[in-house]
Amino acid sequence: MSLELKSKFDLSGFNTLGLKSEAEQFVRIKDVCQIPELISYVEEQDLPLLWLGGGSNLVLGESVPGVVAQLALTGRELLSQDDDSVLLCIAAGEVWHEFVRWTLEQGYYGLENLALIPGSVGASPVQNIGAYGVEVCDFIEQVHAFDRASSKWVQLKSAECGFGYRDSIFKREPGRYVITSVEFRLSRNFQPRLGYSPLSERFSQPAKVTALEVFEAVCEVRRSKLPDPAQLGNAGSFFKNPVVTQLQFEKLLSTHPKIPNYPAETGRKLAAGWLIEQAGLKGYTEGAVGVHKLQALVLVNYGGANRTDIERLANRVKQQVQTEFDVLLEQEPIAYP
Ligand code: FAD
Ligand code: NAP
C-alpha cells in the first residue's frame, strides 16, 4: 500500500482553533490514485474518514476515530483562454490565499474580495466561501471529485453543487465527495465590487481603483479586526448571519431601531456579530476560551482548550442572543466527529 498511515496523530496544529485533538490514524494524500486506495482501506476496516484541508472551518473533538486524510494535492493549470476570460484548474491542496494572489499577478480578476481567507482551494466550494459581497460560486465552472456513493470520479457543474449562503451539497452531505480540483472562470477585465462599506468608504472613485488595491484593502481590513490563527486560535465567524422573516424583523426594529440589516432571499439578514455584542458578550472570557474583543462573531482559544470548552461558550452565546432577540444562531464551522 502506498499510504503512509500514522497512528495517534496530534491534530492540535492542524485545526486553526488549536483545539486539543488526536486522530486514531492520519495520512497525507499527495496523489489522486491514493484516494480510491484509502477509501477501500477504510471500507474494509469499517473506519470513519475525514477529509482535511487547512482545518480552518472545523471544530474537532479530542479523540477523532478512524482516519483523517489531509489533501496535499498541488498544481495550477490554465485550461483555456480568450480575450475576456480564462479557465483554470486548481488542485485541492493549493493554499487559497496564495492562489488568489497568483491570479492577480497573472491579470485574472474576480477573487480579490476573497483575499486572506484561510484554508485550501479544495474546501472553497464546501461552504461556498464568501466575503465583502462576493461568493466563490460566482467563479466556479465545475468541481472534480470522487463520489463515495457511486464509487466514481465525477465532474459537478456549478449548478449541480447546490450552492447557497455558506452552503453546498458538499457541506450538506459530509464525506460523500472528496474534491480533488476546482475549475474557475476568471475575467481578464477588472470589475470592482465595492458594495461593502469598508471598501466603498475607502475608494471614492471606483473607476480608478485597481484589483491589487482592492486585494490589499481587504487584507488590511481583515488584519485590523480578525485574529491571526497563528497567534490566537479561531475558526473565523463561529455563527452564520441569521436570516429572519420580514415580520420578525419589523418586531426587532421596533425594539432595536439601530439593528443592522440587509436584504436576503427569504427575509432580512442580520449581523450575528452585532447581536452578540449587544447581548453584552464582546470580549467575554470563560476559562481558556472567549468572544474576540474586536469581532464578537469570532470565538477564540487562548490556549489549551478542547471542544467541550468552545461548545460551552458557543451555547452560552446562542442562549443569550436568543433571550435578548429571540433569534437562533446557527454554528458555521463543522463539528467532527
Ligand atoms: P477544513 O477546515 O480543513 O475543512 C472544512 C470542511 O471541508 C470539512 O468538512 C472537510 O471535511 C471539508 N473538506 C476540506 N477539503 C475538502 C476536499 N478537498 N474535499 C471534500 N471536502 C473537503 N470563510 C468564509 O466563507 N469567508 C471568510 O471570509 C472566512 N474568513 C475566515 C477567517 C479566519 C481567520 C478563519 C480562521 C476562517 C475563515 N473562514 C472564512 C472559514 C474557512 O477559512 C473557510 O471555510 C475555508 O474554506 C476552510 O478551508 P480549509 O481548507 O481550512 O477546510
Ligand atoms: P462587517 O463588515 O462587520 O459586517 C457585518 C456583517 O454585515 C457581515 O457579516 C456581512 O454579511 C453584513 N454586511 C455588511 N455590509 C453588507 C452589505 N453591504 N450587504 C450585505 N451584507 C452586508 O463584517 P466582517 O465581520 O468584518 O466581515 C467582512 C466580510 O468577511 C463579510 O462578508 C464576512 O462574511 C467575511 N468573513 C467571513 C468569515 C467566516 O469565517 N465566514 C470570517 C471573517 C470575515 P456577510 O457575512 O453575509 O457578508
Side-chain angles (χ1 to χ4, degrees):
M1 175 156 78
S2 69
L3 301 168
E4 286 178 31
L5 288 151
K6 293 173 184 164
S7 296
K8 291 190 175 296
F9 190 87
D10 182 6
L11 291 173
S12 47
F14 286 71
N15 71 100
T16 61
L17 259 167
L19 299 179
K20 283 192 270 186
S21 178
E22 186 183 86
E24 190 179 349
Q25 296 185 74
F26 177 87
V27 65
R28 288 192 92 213
I29 298 293
K30 296 181 197 143
D31 191 302
V32 286
C33 305
Q34 294 174 306
I35 290 171
E37 191 182 347
L38 176 62
I39 289 171
S40 301
Y41 169 74
V42 295
E43 283 175 0
E44 275 161 24
Q45 307 284 321
D46 197 20
L47 295 171
L49 170 62
L50 172 71
W51 301 111
L52 180 71
S56 62
N57 211 29
L58 277 168
V59 182
L60 293 178
E62 267 200 82
S63 172
V64 180
V67 180
V68 173
Q70 191 182 39
L71 287 148
L73 309 165
T74 56
R76 300 171 187 166
E77 199 185 341
L78 174 62
L79 296 179
S80 64
Q81 57 184 320
D82 57 31
D83 289 348
D84 299 322
S85 70
V86 292
L87 185 64
L88 304 169
C89 186
I90 311 298
E94 291 280 333
V95 174
W96 175 261
H97 178 66
E98 296 309 321
F99 163 57
V100 174
R101 188 203 304 272
W102 174 82
T103 60
L104 299 185
E105 285 164 7
Q106 306 303 309
Y108 309 150
Y109 306 119
L111 302 178
E112 43 291 327
N113 291 31
L114 303 178
L116 217 61
I117 297 180
S120 59
V121 166
S124 66
V126 175
Q127 80 153 5
N128 181 21
I129 55 169
Y132 300 101
V134 171
E135 288 182 326
V136 74
C137 67
D138 302 340
F139 305 95
I140 292 180
E141 193 107 333
Q142 61 178 355
V143 170
H144 296 257
F146 187 84
D147 177 9
R148 282 188 72 180
S150 65
S151 294
K152 284 193 177 125
W153 292 101
V154 292
Q155 287 87 44
L156 298 167
K157 297 270 177 222
S158 191
E160 297 171 287
C161 296
F163 288 124
Y165 178 66
R166 308 289 187 267
D167 199 23
S168 72
I169 54 163
F170 312 111
K171 200 166 180 180
R172 292 195 292 277
E173 295 186 59
R176 173 170 173 184
Y177 297 99
V178 51
I179 297 167
T180 52
S181 59
V182 183
E183 285 184 30
F184 297 92
R185 169 82 57 193
L186 299 181
S187 178
R188 286 182 172 282
N189 307 303
F190 174 54
Q191 297 278 342
R193 290 172 75 173
L194 308 175
Y196 274 41
S197 56
L199 299 179
S200 58
E201 281 163 14
R202 190 172 294 228
F203 301 110
S204 53
Q205 291 183 290
K208 289 191 176 164
V209 69
T210 67
L212 195 60
E213 283 170 336
V214 173
F215 171 89
E216 277 164 1
V218 168
C219 292
E220 200 185 307
V221 179
R222 292 181 69 102
R223 284 197 184 103
S224 71
K225 59 197 289 196
L226 287 170
D228 175 357
Q231 315 288 331
L232 185 59
N234 76 93
S237 306
F238 204 86
F239 302 100
K240 292 184 188 180
N241 287 327
V243 175
V244 297
T245 62
Q246 190 61 28
L247 197 67
Q248 196 180 358
F249 168 66
E250 277 159 22
K251 211 169 135 199
L252 281 166
L253 196 62
S254 65
T255 46
H256 302 84
K258 288 188 179 158
I259 191 165
N261 64 92
Y262 305 92
E265 268 175 31
T266 51
R268 297 299 291 182
K269 182 179 78 177
L270 308 177
W274 187 89
L275 300 175
I276 298 167
E277 188 175 346
Q278 296 302 307
L281 289 168
K282 194 176 189 177
Y284 171 74
T285 301
E286 199 175 83
V289 292
V291 178
H292 189 49
K293 54 183 185 300
L294 297 178
Q295 168 51 291
L297 197 44
V298 178
L299 302 190
V300 297
N301 172 11
Y302 292 107
N306 62 17
R307 185 162 93 186
T308 309
D309 299 322
I310 209 87
E311 282 179 349
R312 194 184 304 116
L313 175 65
N315 284 334
R316 174 166 190 143
V317 170
K318 280 167 88 169
Q319 261 170 25
Q320 211 142 315
V321 167
Q322 178 129 44
T323 307
E324 190 85 15
F325 299 98
D326 195 21
V327 169
L328 184 64
L329 292 182
E330 188 190 336
Q331 184 169 318
E332 185 178 288
I334 297 152
Y336 187 88

